[in-house]
Amino acid sequence: MDETKESLTFKGVAERLTLGITRILENMPGVVDVRFVEREPAEKRSLLSWEQKNTCILPEDLRDFYLTTDGFTLTWSVKLDNECVPLGCMMINSVARLCPLLQPVSIFSLPNAPSLADLDWEEDSTESGRGHAPAAPHFDSRSRIFELHSCGVNGKVCLVYKNCTPGVVAQQSEIWFLDRSLCWHLLTATFTSYYRLMITHLGLPEWQYAFTPYGPSPQAKQWASLYQPLTFSSELNFADPAGDSHLNKLDPTKAFKGKVKAPILKKKQSTPCSLGSAAKSQGSAVRHHSGGKR
């Protein structure tokens, strides 16, 4: 009886954590193998230890999340030609895996070895031209960056503390996306907003690229149009008021309209009768001209 109560209680917690997305996925056509990994809550001492080690204060909503579950993993697949293909993945790293993006330099590394901090040299010259866009994080000591989710080969979602001073505890954080080209894109100002975005996008491949100027790949757009049609179409309208200005526009009335050819004037072919009459008239004209001379 107690085990049944505990399972029902955890099921209610899992339902609240996933915002009911598991039932929605299970009812979608072609979706199979929806898996939600159950995790125990993180201990308070592990959160305090993380803050002391990294000289950062966890945001309140992220702290409450870890006190409910130490990380989050929800995956689902689709069935194509009698084969299960992994597609969606929603993940939040545990406290133990909330590691700095930039690891300390090893004493065995070369003194002039290149690092991500070398990419910041051009930031200073381009920051003045950003306009109203938020300042991007730095790869050096000015920012403290921690990996929330490694999106495979597509990039990384990071918890970022900007404008940091060595030895001073950082408190203000944001959620940023680091793409494959090592460019930063702001996702949300709070962890709660990012969590809702992740659930809304169903963990589809490259969904974070919807918040970049170049967007996801054509294949990722096809998956989004299949399993997320409402959000996918609204994102297109949000990115462009016209909705399709980034697409090639085709006007069928012009594209398939044949070219107007200039009419070709055909010469009338002379018949034998007309040739004979013309010869007679020419001969009479010659005789008339010779008679006049006499």
Side-chain angles (χ1 to χ4, degrees):
M1 187 69 179
D2 293 337
E3 292 180 358
T4 306
K5 274 188 175 182
E6 288 180 1
S7 62
L8 290 175
T9 302
F10 184 81
K11 188 176 181 181
V13 173
E15 190 75 12
R16 290 196 299 272
L17 277 175
T18 60
L19 304 180
I21 200 65
T22 52
R23 288 184 288 105
I24 296 175
L25 287 171
E26 288 170 353
N27 293 326
M28 283 186 173
V31 175
V32 295
D33 198 19
V34 180
R35 295 186 181 185
F36 174 68
V37 179
E38 302 177 3
R39 298 177 185 267
E40 295 293 330
E43 298 181 356
K44 288 186 177 181
R45 61 181 180 182
S46 62
L47 300 179
L48 292 174
S49 175
W50 185 92
E51 292 179 338
Q52 292 175 358
K53 178 182 177 181
N54 297 288
T55 324
C56 295
I57 300 296
L58 285 171
E60 195 66 26
D61 51 0
L62 183 57
R63 175 189 290 271
D64 293 339
F65 174 82
Y66 279 132
L67 291 175
T68 305
T69 174
D70 191 9
F72 181 92
T73 303
L74 194 155
T75 58
W76 54 280
S77 306
V78 292
K79 194 171 184 180
L80 295 176
D81 297 333
N82 297 324
E83 183 180 354
C84 292
V85 179
L87 185 63
C89 178
M90 294 169 256
M91 182 177 293
I92 303 294
N93 285 340
S94 61
V95 178
R97 297 186 61 187
L98 191 62
C99 302
L101 181 67
L102 305 175
Q103 298 296 332
V105 180
S106 174
I107 59 174
F108 300 103
S109 61
L110 297 175
N112 295 326
S115 64
L116 289 176
D118 297 331
L119 299 175
D120 282 332
W121 68 273
E122 59 181 69
E123 296 280 340
D124 299 329
S125 59
T126 57
E127 274 183 355
S128 58
R130 289 183 179 272
H132 298 287
H138 294 278
F139 290 108
D140 54 18
S141 59
R142 288 174 288 181
S143 300
R144 296 171 191 167
I145 307 169
F146 305 94
E147 186 178 328
L148 271 178
H149 177 210
S150 177
C151 312
V153 297
N154 297 321
K156 296 180 184 295
V157 177
C158 299
L159 177 70
V160 177
Y161 297 83
K162 296 190 299 184
N163 302 323
C164 298
T165 304
V168 178
V169 177
Q171 298 184 4
Q172 299 296 327
S173 63
E174 295 171 331
I175 309 298
W176 286 74
F177 175 61
L178 182 65
D179 66 12
R180 289 186 292 258
S181 60
L182 300 179
C183 292
W184 289 103
H185 308 278
L186 178 63
L187 293 179
T188 59
T190 62
F191 171 76
T192 302
S193 300
Y194 168 75
Y195 185 79
R196 290 174 179 171
L197 275 182
M198 180 184 67
I199 297 293
T200 304
H201 288 82
L202 305 178
L204 285 165
E206 301 182 22
W207 71 264
Q208 295 90 352
Y209 280 88
F211 299 90
T212 65
Y214 26 87
S217 64
Q219 183 179 5
K221 288 180 180 179
Q222 288 181 348
W223 287 120
S225 63
L226 284 174
Y227 292 100
Q228 196 194 10
L230 296 178
T231 309
F232 179 68
S233 60
S234 64
E235 283 174 357
L236 288 180
N237 295 331
F238 176 77
D240 177 20
D244 60 348
S245 66
H246 63 285
L247 301 176
N248 293 329
K249 293 185 178 181
L250 178 65
D251 189 353
T253 60
K254 294 181 180 180
F256 304 113
K257 186 177 181 181
K259 293 183 179 180
V260 179
K261 296 182 179 180
I264 300 175
L265 298 177
K266 294 184 178 179
K267 294 182 179 181
K268 293 184 178 180
Q269 294 181 355
S270 301
T271 60
C273 296
S274 60
L275 288 174
S277 60
K280 287 181 180 179
S281 60
Q282 187 175 4
S284 61
V286 170
R287 286 197 300 269
H288 179 72
H289 181 69
S290 61
K293 282 185 178 181
R294 288 177 185 175

